[in-house]
Amino acid sequence: MTQLNHKNSQIIQRFLKETSEFKTIQDYIRWSASQFNNEQVFFGHGTSNALDEAASLVLHALHLDYSLPDSYLHCAITESERQSVVELISRRITERKPAAYLTNQAVFCNLSFYVDERTLIPRSPIAELIHNAFSPWLDIMQVESILDLCTGSGCIAIAAAYQFDAASIDAVDLSADALEVARINVSTHELEEQVQLIHSDLFTELGNKQYDLIISNPPYVSTREWQSLPQEYSHEPAFGFQGGESGLDIVTRILNQAGDYLTEQGILVVEVGRSAETLQNNYPDIPFLWLDFEFGGDGVFLLTREQLVDYQHRFNTQSDIDKIQ
């Protein structure tokens, strides 16, 4: 037995003893939240606090939907159900694995997605932009083609397909493993005719295609930031985070090439997270439009095709990349 399994077994026994007099679903959600806080579990992969994380895991262990009416929280659970709850809560604490990987479920744009450790867990604020159909920058009736670069689980491409149901969508990723997960989700949502999955290093396999909208949530974490992330992040594929020393290696490549793949009125929307300040400081003359979000999130910019073409020579200068610290 490995040290981790031994620790998990010990915690399960302690938890079973602690919960021996518990009766209701609510009892276990409250208790689980307390355990997460006591063990300083990190949240940020779909939930932002111990209570929501606890509710998602307890309900999953009981094969119940997260939208369960509050009245059902007072229902008692069986002994076998108690065992399932305790085992799942114990794994969350001992393994420090994000809840979405324990349940193989994530929600993005109010849609359900399959996820595992081949892809990052969906949590981008770009969801709000999709919900709003990228208004006022696009006319939903005139969007015919969309490109999702670094698609991962396919969540952005699939959510966009629901919103722009008349558009064809290409979803690109360099990782064949990630595309297998995306394929599961495209099939589950029955969007095979609208969403095409493409194995490509950014634009290399796209030929002469042009798009009305290019969306990307690429790797953008700097080496220093990556080394300081909580343990939960170590379960996600490193290639989905690491953007080089500055965090902007891939972002700069996208900026350099995207103008060639946009239609006349097309726009580029890219998430760069905490690397936003670095990007803006490195290109102070470029009019990045930093987008605001009603429901939280930042570090997402928008540029038009015209702007990308006008400033393409700046993104193509290696010295600019080298200056980023």
Side-chain angles (χ1 to χ4, degrees):
M1 179 182 294
T2 67
Q3 184 176 355
L4 181 61
N5 287 339
H6 179 67
K7 181 181 179 182
N8 192 34
S9 179
Q10 287 181 317
I11 290 180
I12 288 173
Q13 295 307 311
R14 174 164 65 84
F15 284 175
L16 286 172
K17 184 176 181 180
E18 287 180 6
T19 61
S20 61
E21 297 183 4
F22 289 0
K23 302 295 184 183
T24 68
I25 297 172
Q26 182 172 277
D27 290 338
Y28 284 90
I29 292 176
R30 196 281 310 158
W31 168 80
S32 299
S34 296
Q35 299 307 312
F36 292 157
N37 284 330
N38 183 59
E39 296 291 337
Q40 298 183 324
V41 169
F42 173 81
F43 312 107
H45 291 85
T47 65
S48 60
N49 60 81
L51 195 59
D52 286 346
E53 187 96 347
S56 69
L57 288 173
V58 170
L59 293 175
H60 178 79
L62 298 175
H63 307 288
L64 294 171
D65 190 82
Y66 196 73
S67 60
L68 185 78
D70 289 347
S71 59
Y72 283 86
L73 298 179
H74 303 291
C75 294
I77 70 173
T78 68
E79 182 59 30
S80 63
E81 289 174 331
R82 182 168 79 99
Q83 181 81 27
S84 296
V85 169
V86 165
E87 288 177 357
L88 192 58
I89 298 305
S90 175
R91 287 191 63 196
R92 178 66 181 91
I93 291 171
T94 58
E95 298 177 23
R96 286 297 197 266
K97 185 177 290 190
Y101 286 152
L102 294 173
T103 64
N104 294 124
Q105 295 176 355
V107 175
F108 181 80
C109 268
N110 296 319
L111 299 169
S112 180
F113 294 94
Y114 171 85
V115 292
D116 61 32
E117 290 170 85
R118 291 175 289 180
T119 70
L120 298 188
I121 297 168
R123 52 188 180 272
S124 172
I126 289 174
E128 186 175 323
L129 300 175
I130 296 172
H131 177 75
N132 295 327
F134 294 87
S135 176
W137 303 284
L138 290 177
D139 180 344
I140 191 170
M141 301 303 295
Q142 295 183 4
V143 175
E144 298 180 354
S145 57
I146 298 173
L147 172 63
D148 174 21
L149 284 177
C150 308
T151 193
S153 64
C155 62
I156 287 177
I158 290 168
Y162 277 95
Q163 185 65 271
F164 298 88
D165 57 6
S168 63
I169 299 173
D170 287 343
V172 168
D173 209 291
L174 180 60
S175 167
D177 284 342
L179 288 174
E180 285 304 310
V181 175
R183 199 174 310 281
I184 292 171
N185 287 316
V186 170
S187 176
T188 299
H189 289 274
E190 299 181 342
L191 291 168
E192 293 94 337
E193 293 187 6
Q194 188 180 1
V195 179
Q196 180 181 6
L197 301 176
I198 302 173
H199 187 212
S200 178
D201 182 5
L202 298 181
F203 302 96
T204 56
E205 301 300 321
L206 299 182
N208 297 320
K209 288 187 177 183
Q210 289 192 314
Y211 304 89
D212 300 306
L213 169 63
I214 298 177
I215 320 168
S216 186
N217 181 14
Y220 57 72
V221 177
S222 68
T223 300
R224 179 178 298 180
E225 183 183 353
W226 168 248
Q227 293 170 345
S228 67
L229 291 175
Q231 186 178 348
E232 277 79 357
Y233 287 90
S234 66
H235 291 279
E236 296 185 275
F239 63 79
F241 289 101
Q242 296 173 343
E245 191 66 26
S246 69
L248 297 174
D249 289 2
I250 296 172
V251 174
T252 304
R253 288 178 56 201
I254 292 172
L255 288 168
N256 182 39
Q257 300 176 65
D260 296 332
Y261 292 87
L262 283 169
T263 58
E264 199 67 29
Q265 302 302 317
I267 62 171
L268 169 71
V269 175
V270 181
E271 178 177 346
V272 295
R274 294 182 182 177
S275 295
E277 184 177 0
T278 304
L279 181 63
Q280 186 68 77
N281 288 342
N282 195 65
Y283 301 107
D285 56 326
I286 292 173
F288 294 104
L289 175 60
W290 296 102
L291 304 177
D292 296 323
F293 295 92
E294 181 180 355
F295 302 108
D298 54 19
V300 179
F301 70 78
L302 182 152
L303 288 172
T304 66
R305 177 189 181 276
E306 182 180 4
Q307 290 168 332
L308 288 162
V309 171
D310 286 347
Y311 291 97
Q312 188 174 32
H313 66 284
R314 294 281 283 111
F315 302 125
N316 198 31
T317 304
Q318 183 62 40
S319 60
D320 287 334
I321 301 173
D322 294 338
K323 286 190 298 182
I324 304 174
Q325 299 299 318

